[in-house]
Amino acid sequence: EFLFDELVFFQPRKKGNNVYVVQPEKQKGIHCRFGMPGLSVAAHFDGSRNSIAVLTGSRRYWLAHPRECSKLGLYPLDHPSARHSRLSWNSTDAASDTLLSEVVLQPNDVLYLP
């Protein structure tokens, strides 16, 4: 709970504080993930808002507009890997007909994805 004392805008129980918490009743806490050099993650979509901060090194992201989802080879919603792509994302050739934006984050950069 100390985190909520310092960062009250993350507090899911406070009415009107929905800048980061879209559906407070479904919120189960703050998720924090740490990456390592060379780590690659399958293309996917998140149903919640994300803030990505880079402390050291760099991180590359390929972003697509939601209207491009039909081209990303997403698994069906009833599949265990729902929200994730079947395509190999080792290169942009996997989605050559998809409009992607490449973003490279450097230390002290923050990317907010609503």
Side-chain angles (χ1 to χ4, degrees):
E1 292 284 330
F2 75 92
L3 183 62
F4 293 135
D5 293 340
E6 296 297 323
L7 304 170
V8 293
F9 49 85
F10 282 121
Q11 179 58 266
R13 292 179 221 40
K14 298 207 183 217
K15 267 192 169 208
N17 266 345
N18 59 2
V19 173
Y20 292 99
V21 183
V22 180
Q23 296 175 309
E25 67 280 358
K26 293 184 178 182
Q27 182 67 19
K28 295 180 181 160
I30 298 171
H31 304 277
C32 187
R33 294 184 174 49
F34 297 92
M36 299 181 296
L39 179 69
S40 179
V41 177
H44 66 280
F45 74 88
D46 290 327
S48 60
R49 298 169 183 178
N50 289 278
S51 290
I52 301 162
V54 175
L55 304 178
T56 64
S58 62
R59 302 289 181 270
R60 178 174 58 170
Y61 292 88
W62 289 324
L63 305 175
H65 191 280
R67 68 175 165 258
E68 300 291 312
C69 283
S70 63
K71 302 174 186 173
L72 297 177
L74 297 174
Y75 286 103
L77 292 176
D78 60 348
H79 190 277
S81 292
R83 302 186 311 104
H84 293 82
S85 174
R86 297 181 181 115
L87 305 176
S88 170
W89 287 87
N90 294 324
S91 75
T92 54
D93 294 341
S96 58
D97 65 337
T98 305
L99 181 61
L100 297 172
S101 295
E102 181 179 21
V103 177
V104 179
L105 302 176
Q106 301 297 329
N108 301 315
D109 286 344
V110 176
L111 174 64
Y112 174 65
L113 298 171

